[in-house]
Amino acid sequence: MMLKLLLKKQLFEIFSSYFYDAKKNKARSKISIVMYFALFALLIVGLLGGIFTFLAVKLCTPLASANLSWLYFALMGLIAVLLGAFGSVFNTYAGLYLPKDNDLLLSMPIPVSSLVAARLFSVYLMGLLYSDVVILPAVIVYWVTTSVTPSSLFGGLVLMFLISVFVLTLSCILGWVVAKISQKLRHKSVIAVLASLAFIALYYFVYFKAQSILQELLANVAVYGAQIKSSAYPLYLFGSVGVGDGKAMLIVAAAQAVLFGLMWMLLSRSFLNIATSTGKTERRKYRETVIRQQSVDAAL
């Protein structure tokens, strides 16, 4: 019951602006709430989902025809991991480590394990949302384009789950780094500004280079496939999961379990330290001065 209430609170905080108008200091109408969620679904599913569906359609046929389906899943999986991690890392920083209600919740008789579990689950849901915008269309396009087998069907589902867990692990680690850095800064908004600028710069770089990179990849797909398989074998195993390779599934799942275990150890040891930290504050040195009594007229 406690975990359910905490999870409901976490989800409400993520979408609090959809339910409450801070400027007018009142709750939004039901029509406004529905419109906000419809707009969110349109942007996430319609816009982003459409972009990555188009990319999947463009990549799937030539790579599958060249017997390089693993490369297709490796490329789309990496994009899903990057988008999922970036989409949820600031939610991890603000929602897991340093939310505004830390002092209130930690002072109440709430088990720390339930608090961490609820916050982790909300981070997982946000990472799942952003990563599935990429990998779900990619898997569906592959199923439609190629002949579906039980192994490829199962492999696609396993790949989506493993990506979501890896995004959770990566988001928690990056959120921990951001939280640690923010404790050393007086102006914590600097992190958000720098990260936003970095993301905008990366977005425009990828946007202008994507078409040429895609054409170069498709023109020399066999060469790049052989190079990646020989020099980046873990990436080959990662992509082979989507094809349905049982050996790759076991190896990647075992690696995911190890990474998740290390993240959990890091989180369990540092959560209370970060959550209860006041961060860096400015210290002022006391200087003795002479105070003289003034008349009432001078004081006024």
Side-chain angles (χ1 to χ4, degrees), residues 1-299:
M1 186 64 180
M2 178 63 68
L3 182 61
K4 182 180 178 180
L5 291 175
L6 289 172
L7 180 59
K8 184 178 180 180
K9 182 193 75 69
Q10 289 296 122
L11 295 177
F12 181 80
E13 287 181 355
I14 294 174
F15 298 100
S16 60
S17 60
Y18 292 12
F19 296 97
Y20 186 80
D21 189 346
K23 292 183 179 180
K24 297 181 180 179
N25 196 24
K26 66 177 183 179
R28 299 187 188 275
S29 64
K30 292 183 178 180
I31 297 178
S32 298
I33 295 174
V34 172
M35 292 297 294
Y36 270 97
F37 276 103
L39 179 61
F40 178 77
L42 180 63
L43 292 175
I44 296 296
V45 179
L47 182 60
L48 287 179
I51 291 173
F52 292 113
T53 300
F54 175 76
L55 178 61
V57 170
K58 199 166 185 179
L59 287 176
C60 186
T61 301
L63 292 178
S65 301
N67 199 25
L68 292 171
S69 298
W70 64 266
L71 182 58
Y72 165 75
F73 281 114
L75 292 174
M76 298 303 295
L78 285 178
I79 297 173
V81 168
L82 291 175
L83 184 64
F86 185 85
S88 59
V89 64
F90 287 101
N91 176 54
T92 307
Y93 158 71
L96 176 61
Y97 295 104
L98 298 174
K100 296 179 180 179
D101 58 355
N102 253 348
D103 294 337
L104 175 62
L105 293 179
L106 290 174
S107 65
M108 298 174 68
I110 299 175
V112 177
S113 58
S114 298
L115 183 61
V116 175
R119 291 179 178 178
L120 275 179
F121 193 69
S122 67
V123 173
Y124 175 78
L125 289 179
M126 293 304 295
L128 179 66
L129 173 66
Y130 286 107
S131 61
D132 270 8
V133 168
V134 181
I135 196 60
L136 181 59
V139 170
I140 294 176
V141 167
Y142 181 78
W143 289 344
V144 173
T145 304
T146 63
S147 57
V148 181
T149 61
S151 60
S152 64
L153 185 66
F154 182 67
L157 297 176
V158 171
L159 181 63
M160 287 190 289
F161 173 72
L162 291 178
I163 286 176
S164 65
V165 175
F166 184 64
V167 167
L168 171 64
T169 305
L170 191 59
S171 298
C172 290
I173 294 174
L174 293 177
W176 179 84
V177 173
V178 173
K180 279 291 187 180
I181 294 175
S182 69
Q183 290 181 310
K184 307 297 182 182
L185 298 178
R186 296 175 184 174
H187 304 287
K188 295 180 174 57
S189 59
V190 172
I191 298 179
V193 173
L194 293 178
S196 300
L197 292 175
F199 174 73
I200 293 173
L202 180 63
Y203 168 79
Y204 279 105
F205 175 78
V206 173
Y207 178 80
F208 288 112
K209 293 289 185 179
Q211 188 65 26
S212 60
I213 293 174
L214 186 60
Q215 291 177 354
E216 177 70 18
L217 173 65
L218 294 178
N220 303 279
V221 63
V223 176
Y224 287 117
Q227 289 178 352
I228 293 173
K229 187 175 180 180
S230 60
S231 59
Y233 193 71
L235 189 59
Y236 165 74
L237 291 175
F238 174 68
S240 298
V241 173
V243 183
D245 189 331
K247 179 183 177 181
M249 291 182 195
L250 292 176
I251 295 175
V252 175
Q256 290 276 33
V258 172
L259 289 175
F260 185 83
L262 293 175
M263 180 275 296
W264 181 258
M265 290 177 57
L266 177 67
L267 179 62
S268 60
R269 291 183 179 182
S270 61
F271 175 76
L272 284 178
N273 183 30
I274 296 177
T276 57
S277 175
T278 57
K280 187 174 182 179
T281 56
E282 184 178 359
R283 296 183 178 181
R284 296 183 179 273
K285 185 178 180 180
Y286 173 74
R287 294 181 178 179
E288 184 178 356
T289 58
V290 178
I291 300 177
R292 296 179 181 179
Q293 183 178 359
Q294 301 290 338
S295 64
V296 175
D297 294 334

